[in-house]
Amino acid sequence: MLTELTIASAQGGLKRRDFSAVELTQAHLAAIEALNGRLNAFITITAERALDAARRADAVLAGQDAPALTGIPLGIKDLFCTDGVRTTAASRMLEDFVPPYESTVTANLLRDGAVFVGKTNLDEFAMGSANITSAFGAVENPWKRTGEPDTVLVPGGSSGGSAAAVAAGLAMGATGTDTGGSIRQPAAYCGIAGIKPTYGRCSRWGTIAFASSLDQAGPMARTVEDCAILLQSMAGFDVRDSTSVDVPVPEYRAACGRSLKGMKVGIPAEYRVAGMPAEIEAAWEQGIAWLRDAGCEIVNVSLPHTKYGLATYYIVAPAECSSNLARYDGVRFGRRVPGESLDALYEATRREGFGPEVRRRILMGTYVLSAGYYDAYYLRAQKVRHLIRRDFEEAFRMVDVLLTPTAPSPAFAQGEKMDDPVQMYLNDVFTVPASMAGVPAMSVPAGLSGSGLPLGLQVIGRSFDEETVIAAGSAIERAASFAHRPALRAEVA
Amino acid sequence: MAYVIEGRTGPWELVVGLEVHAQVISRSKLFSGASASYGGEPNTHVSLVDAGFPGMLPVINRECVAQAVRTGLGLKARINLQSRFDRKNYFYADLPTGYQISQFAHPIVGEGAVEIELADGSTRTIGITRLHLEQDAGKSMHDQDPARSFIDLNRAGVALMEIVSEPDIRSPEEAGAYLRKLRMILRYLGTCDGNMEEGSMRADVNVSVRKAGEPFRTRCEIKNVNSIRYVMQAIEVEALRQVEIWEDGGEVDQETRLFDPARGETRSLRSKEDAHDYRYFPDPDLLPLVIAESWVDELESALPELPDAKRERFQTEYGIPRYDAGVLVAEQATADFYESVARGRDPRLAANWVTGDLFAALNRTGRTIQDSPISAEALGGMLDLVTDGTINGKIAKEVFEDMLETGDSAAVIVERKGLRQVTDTGAIDAAVQAVLAANPDKVAEYRGGKDKLFGFFVGQVMKAMAGKGNPALVNEALKKVL
């Protein structure tokens, strides 16, 4: 079954000509055909382009030295601008926007031969934790609670379309973006792996901005090794992004089998939050035991400012978003709703173009940056952010990685938690601190909940030390031998 | 010379500070690779970054930073090795991203000073508060279509330096002198062309008035004044308006105003109450701007000689008067022209010819020193003929006029017209004899003690020799005979 393969194994199969790139792409397009109507994981499907790319890939594979991703079908989060392919950010505002340029991250993947099967769904402008704010409809998580085949679960967000597509076998891997947990939390909810690399590791050029000081692209795939392969291609310095960092990109894949003997793993006390479900606690304890068995030394550490992480995030991110989204004004591109005056045009365009969650965050951001409130909110949030970053620096003086749960619960059902935005924001409580600090963090599937849903563990590492994160993630993956697959998936539907 | 507004209640003092927006001379824009050159069909110098397309990011242009540092050094200002870009958020159709990237809290250049000179020869120092870098906005055009407005983004993203003065200016004359001096420095540095007509330099004028010894009163800002003359006029009418309000027992409102040169008045644009809340915050797409001290030193050592230093040097090196030196250094091209005329020649003679006959001729023909019909070499060649006695000063004027018209060299003209000075004492003596013979009565008067007539005899002899007589020899011959 071609849609069950990992990227690593597909690379071998393509090289040996066990199957062609066209066959591999066709299998995934067939899965999309069969399942996307239900999952709504893709906003735009690019079947023709994908088949063309696959044919070119086969030609390249016939020769020597095909690049690493030649012929590998991927989904691209619809926040990455793709040359000549509609890029919507899941917003009415950009419903018909076709960029004449290719984001650096997707250009890197294309350079390495990847085949893009389509643009995946997300929360509008990446604002959300359940993929329910998309202007193109919610995404369904392919997993089902035991005995509840009719309950529709959310895939997490904002990269919910990517997570669902990868979990259900509609793509071998996908790109995501993570601002406060948007790769890790949906990866956990959908039983796949995903890594948010260090801020500055992947170029933000051509990726539609949500909160510039936090946004970072990263891969989502069914295994840690596949994430390593994808990140290898996506990462790298880019002169067009001033916050991109010019440091060498190591061989991530080589880190997968690395021994963990003598590695120090920190367990932050502050992540034991009140009211955390016992099964999340148990999964965490299991993860600790696995790493101890792999030769790690377990160290209790403290990240004292963790409790301010979420509050700080919900000041900084909306502040930046209120400014970043000002360009969607109906004047130059995207939706325009005419008005009697310029102000009326702005108001009508933005009222109609943006959904409620985006409007809420723009309003919050505008408020916290306003004269008279700046010092009390934004400036103070920046100071706390500095303290959060210092917490991590202090911790990484003593340990090599931190281990925590990825999310405080397994995937929940559509409709649950949804009437209270604050409840919704709490989904990000474990992922946000690493985002605030800019350090790399990965979610790895670690087991199933009592209701049969995947649970993820999060490994957090030092800046630019994705290798150690991958090594630890890979060890957990081996120990968990997580072979469960969702109820809805290619070739079983 | 104190500038005083005489009101009904007594004298008022003027307090003015200027914010000058100077467009940076650079090949590309502050944060994009698009051309920064002036003109061009609308929207031809626009990159995706300038148009604020999704996912586009700014990247700082090193040359623009260098220009700001050079300007800071030229203003004798502190260069901040670490500065920062902030976003100034507001909605306008010609502001594509919905914010302007500017330096608000941490500018690249700190305090400096500009020395100005006034008509009475006195000098004053005007403090510079700061200089910061920012992006220009685009241009809305409302006159192309009855129903719609069009937008030209050619200028969007071009680098501007905002140069903010202390409220040290006390008269319209000082404001004019400050702007002229600032423009001179920018042009010398090659960091801004100072062309106010094309909008590459424009000023926001902050005006208030007070009684002597008082603290500052409420100020009004007059936006976007685009000529030095208008700046001076705007200050004058705004100060009078404010004095009138205070004297009528009213209160001047802090507001932004526009100057209407046609009506000679300022008008309210917006009050403090409806002022924008720009919601400044550090631009998260850009890292703090950190520059090396060694780079600043490198830029400093490569700075051109600035007007004040050049003027000092002209006075000491060439021994010309301060006023003449000031006129010659007003523009770099004039100073260069003068120096190539003066090199190896009598510098005072050179100064007289450049500031006198040459300037008059340029004025008359509406030309500038750059397209002078007489090159520095040609003028120097003529001075050489004066110095070696080939022609005298009077003939030189005739040769100069001929050079203007024909473009020929002085030597060619002298040969063609036979203007070579006569030093043959025989010819001079003959002319002297003839003049004396023709004016026996005048000779008698002179000999009777009317000394002033000597000039008459010199004139007559020179006239008889068609102006070509060597003046010294003519004098000598006349003295001997008389």
Side-chain angles (χ1 to χ4, degrees):
Chain A
M1 286 203 292
L2 294 178
T3 54
E4 291 284 306
L5 296 174
T6 63
I7 294 173
S9 59
Q11 283 177 326
L14 287 166
K15 210 170 178 182
R16 289 189 303 273
R17 313 303 282 157
D18 293 347
F19 46 84
S20 70
V22 168
E23 285 165 339
L24 190 61
T25 295
Q26 274 168 342
H28 287 89
L29 289 174
I32 292 171
E33 177 80 19
L35 281 173
N36 196 54
R38 172 146 184 199
L39 295 177
N40 200 25
F42 286 88
I43 291 173
T44 304
I45 299 157
T46 52
E48 286 310 310
R49 276 177 175 255
L51 287 168
D52 283 348
R55 278 189 282 273
R56 285 197 303 276
D58 277 325
V60 172
L61 286 160
Q64 298 287 311
D65 299 329
L69 297 174
T70 304
I72 302 296
L74 301 178
I76 301 300
K77 187 179 186 179
D78 207 14
L79 203 61
F80 292 87
C81 290
T82 40
D83 193 352
V85 175
R86 177 172 81 139
T87 301
T88 68
S91 180
R92 291 268 162 260
M93 191 64 89
L94 293 173
E95 200 168 7
D96 302 313
F97 176 64
V98 179
Y101 47 92
E102 187 77 33
S103 83
T104 299
V105 161
T106 50
N108 289 348
L109 292 168
L110 291 173
R111 172 202 65 204
D112 290 343
V115 171
F116 296 168
V117 291
K119 304 296 289 290
T120 59
N121 207 341
L122 65 149
D123 281 297
E124 184 179 4
F125 281 102
M127 297 175 199
S129 305
N131 218 310
I132 50 173
T133 71
S134 169
F136 296 85
V139 174
E140 181 175 349
N141 190 327
W143 289 80
K144 294 292 165 192
R145 282 182 191 145
T146 314
E148 291 184 39
D150 299 326
T151 305
V152 175
L153 303 178
V154 303
S158 66
S159 310
S162 289
V166 171
L170 312 191
M172 305 198 81
T175 61
T177 63
D178 191 313
T179 303
S182 281
I183 287 174
R184 292 161 283 161
Q185 185 252 22
Y189 281 11
C190 291
I192 62 169
I195 181 166
K196 178 199 88 74
T198 313
Y199 183 79
R201 184 60 103 175
C202 289
S203 169
R204 292 184 296 112
W205 193 90
T207 310
I208 295 174
F210 162 16
S212 309
S213 74
L214 296 156
D215 296 345
Q216 192 59 208
M220 305 172 83
R222 288 191 290 268
T223 66
V224 172
E225 184 179 31
D226 284 2
C227 283
I229 292 168
L230 292 175
L231 183 59
Q232 189 78 44
S233 175
M234 294 165 70
F237 176 60
D238 182 2
V239 291
R240 293 180 299 181
D241 175 0
S242 308
T243 59
S244 157
V245 180
D246 192 3
V247 294
V249 178
E251 289 291 329
Y252 292 129
R253 195 174 181 172
C256 289
R258 192 197 273 180
S259 161
L260 302 193
K261 278 217 163 44
M263 184 190 282
K264 289 184 176 168
V265 177
I267 308 301
E270 291 75 11
Y271 280 62
R272 291 186 197 282
V273 296
M276 187 157 72
E279 59 191 16
I280 301 284
E281 185 84 34
W284 194 6
E285 289 305 326
Q286 180 64 70
I288 293 169
W290 284 332
L291 289 180
R292 191 182 285 120
D293 292 347
C296 296
E297 184 186 335
I298 306 299
V299 182
N300 287 317
V301 297
S302 174
L303 301 169
H305 297 91
T306 299
K307 58 178 175 290
Y308 305 115
L310 206 57
T312 311
Y313 174 82
Y314 277 99
I315 289 170
V316 173
E320 293 183 14
C321 111
S322 72
S323 178
N324 282 335
L325 268 56
R327 69 189 60 203
Y328 305 106
D329 58 5
V331 174
R332 294 164 309 286
F333 52 80
R335 175 169 298 254
R336 172 185 291 178
V337 183
E340 285 294 301
S341 64
L342 185 60
D343 284 348
L345 177 143
Y346 290 154
E347 284 172 17
T349 299
R350 291 168 69 80
R351 187 185 304 115
E352 216 174 274
F354 291 137
E357 182 60 29
V358 171
R359 291 207 297 266
R360 175 169 22 244
R361 297 202 195 190
I362 289 173
L363 288 172
M364 284 198 288
T366 304
Y367 180 82
V368 301
L369 288 176
S370 299
Y373 298 104
Y374 180 88
D375 286 3
Y377 294 106
Y378 186 79
L379 195 63
R380 183 168 299 184
Q382 289 293 26
K383 286 177 182 164
V384 177
R385 182 177 184 177
H386 180 74
L387 295 174
I388 292 171
R389 191 177 298 139
R390 212 173 57 190
D391 280 356
F392 280 97
E393 283 165 12
E394 294 289 324
F396 286 125
R397 258 188 254 262
M398 291 177 285
V399 299
D400 301 297
V401 290
L402 299 167
L403 182 72
T404 78
T406 305
S409 74
F412 48 92
Q414 279 183 15
E416 288 173 7
K417 299 191 185 185
M418 288 186 182
D419 43 359
D420 183 354
V422 175
Q423 271 300 309
M424 193 61 88
Y425 297 165
L426 285 170
N427 289 303
D428 302 331
V429 67
F430 295 145
T431 49
V432 153
S435 296
M436 298 300 278
V439 294
M442 179 168 215
S443 180
V444 185
L448 293 183
S449 73
S451 55
L453 296 179
L455 297 174
L457 286 177
Q458 176 177 229
V459 180
I460 306 171
R462 291 187 185 94
S463 281
F464 295 102
D465 187 16
E466 287 85 7
E467 283 175 287
T468 303
V469 172
I470 288 168
S474 180
I476 293 169
E477 183 181 54
R478 275 195 306 278
S481 52
F482 187 90
H484 312 284
R485 297 299 315 276
L488 295 173
R489 65 178 191 271
E491 297 175 49
V492 297
Chain B
M1 259 189 303
Y3 179 86
V4 170
I5 301 162
E6 288 297 345
R8 290 196 307 277
T9 61
W12 292 81
E13 184 186 38
L14 179 64
V15 179
V16 173
L18 289 171
E19 293 169 22
V20 172
H21 293 261
Q23 187 177 313
V24 171
I25 294 175
S26 61
R27 277 190 300 277
S28 50
K29 296 181 178 180
L30 184 54
F31 297 113
S32 89
S35 166
S37 66
Y38 181 77
E41 286 294 299
N43 296 310
T44 52
H45 300 166
V46 185
S47 75
L48 293 163
V49 176
D50 306 321
F53 268 59
M56 293 300 106
L57 298 171
V59 178
I60 186 83
N61 177 345
R62 184 184 169 91
E63 180 55 20
C64 294
V65 176
Q67 292 289 57
V69 171
R70 285 187 192 107
T71 307
L73 293 169
L75 299 175
K76 300 186 181 69
R78 186 164 50 81
I79 306 300
N80 294 325
L81 297 181
Q82 183 153 355
S83 61
R84 193 182 79 194
F85 287 97
D86 295 293
R87 288 187 186 176
K88 180 179 181 180
N89 294 280
Y90 63 99
F91 282 97
Y92 204 69
D94 58 20
L95 186 70
T97 48
Y99 54 82
Q100 179 191 29
I101 304 178
S102 178
Q103 295 190 309
F104 176 63
H106 301 282
I108 185 165
V109 175
E111 298 83 3
V114 168
E115 189 166 286
I116 60 169
E117 186 163 335
L118 302 170
D120 64 359
S122 65
T123 58
R124 280 206 61 205
T125 300
I126 307 298
I128 299 290
T129 311
R130 60 186 279 163
L131 174 156
H132 67 250
L133 278 168
E134 63 184 33
Q135 301 172 297
D136 205 348
K139 190 171 71 173
S140 297
M141 297 176 286
H142 305 294
D143 52 357
Q144 315 275 311
D145 184 284
R148 294 176 298 173
S149 293
F150 292 94
I151 294 171
D152 177 7
L153 295 179
N154 278 354
R155 248 176 31 193
V158 166
L160 297 178
M161 297 178 285
E162 182 168 329
I163 304 165
V164 182
S165 85
E166 294 286 318
D168 287 347
I169 295 165
R170 293 287 173 272
S171 72
E173 188 202 357
E174 288 182 12
Y178 168 77
L179 285 169
R180 276 191 297 275
K181 186 62 176 284
L182 191 60
R183 185 170 62 182
M184 195 194 299
I185 293 170
L186 296 174
R187 285 179 171 167
Y188 261 76
L189 291 165
T191 58
C192 172
D193 65 22
N195 193 332
M196 294 186 90
E197 297 76 56
E198 289 178 1
S200 53
M201 191 171 136
R202 41 194 202 264
D204 297 344
V205 190
N206 287 292
V207 179
S208 67
V209 295
R210 65 175 174 187
K211 298 272 189 170
E214 273 186 358
F216 295 142
R217 294 198 184 198
T218 313
R219 66 189 160 86
C220 290
E221 183 184 37
I222 309 163
K223 276 291 209 201
N224 259 329
V225 190
N226 62 1
S227 87
I228 292 176
R229 195 159 56 92
Y230 288 164
V231 168
M232 295 168 70
Q233 282 173 10
I235 291 170
E236 210 167 331
V237 301
E238 175 60 17
L240 287 173
R241 186 187 74 88
Q242 291 184 14
V243 166
E244 212 162 286
I245 291 173
W246 291 122
E247 294 201 323
D248 289 346
E251 186 89 11
V252 169
D253 294 327
Q254 187 177 332
E255 60 183 359
T256 304
R257 300 180 69 83
L258 281 178
F259 177 59
D260 180 346
R263 294 190 176 182
E265 62 177 30
T266 64
R267 273 201 301 278
S268 182
L269 183 65
R270 58 174 181 265
S271 68
K272 194 184 178 187
E273 282 66 44
D274 49 46
H276 286 121
D277 179 356
Y278 290 117
R279 290 175 286 118
Y280 283 101
F281 76 109
D283 191 322
D285 286 331
L286 291 160
L287 300 173
L289 178 59
V290 180
I291 56 178
E293 187 137 35
S294 58
W295 187 54
V296 175
D297 294 343
E298 205 178 293
L299 291 170
E300 184 159 31
S301 63
L303 282 189
E305 184 181 33
L306 290 172
D308 286 347
K310 203 184 274 289
R311 181 181 192 168
E312 293 294 324
R313 180 168 66 78
F314 277 19
Q315 280 181 259
T316 53
E317 187 174 330
Y318 299 123
I320 57 177
R322 183 171 173 77
Y323 178 82
D324 287 3
V327 169
L328 288 172
V329 303
E331 280 189 62
Q332 182 133 35
T334 309
D336 292 347
F337 189 99
Y338 167 71
E339 289 211 85
S340 53
V341 176
R343 197 167 299 127
R345 304 191 176 93
D346 177 352
R348 283 191 244 201
L349 186 64
N352 287 340
W353 274 94
V354 172
T355 60
D357 295 75
L358 182 69
F359 274 15
L362 293 176
N363 260 336
R364 208 162 62 226
T365 54
R367 293 189 188 228
T368 65
I369 197 86
Q370 279 94 338
D371 56 7
S372 166
I374 298 178
S375 69
E377 287 94 5
L379 184 60
M382 191 199 81
L383 295 189
D384 290 341
L385 297 183
V386 174
T387 309
D388 70 12
T390 307
I391 55 175
N392 63 37
K394 190 154 184 287
I395 293 295
K397 305 248 176 203
E398 187 186 337
V399 172
F400 182 84
E401 290 304 320
D402 201 322
M403 287 169 80
L404 264 182
E405 244 170 64
T406 62
D408 290 339
S409 74
V412 167
I413 293 164
V414 166
E415 284 313 314
R416 187 177 71 227
K417 297 176 111 174
L419 296 175
R420 193 172 281 278
Q421 180 168 254
V422 177
T423 48
D424 170 3
T425 46
I428 292 172
D429 287 344
V432 167
Q433 287 307 328
V435 167
L436 296 190
N439 298 287
D441 47 338
K442 293 272 189 333
V443 173
E445 277 178 56
Y446 179 82
R447 287 188 173 140
K450 208 169 178 188
D451 291 355
K452 279 182 190 160
L453 278 170
F454 189 76
F456 165 78
F457 292 118
V458 173
Q460 289 299 307
V461 173
M462 288 303 274
K463 194 175 166 190
M465 300 187 70
K468 292 186 284 185
N470 179 309
L473 294 177
V474 169
N475 270 300
E476 205 177 295
L478 271 170
K479 271 193 182 136
K480 206 163 60 190
V481 184
L482 283 169

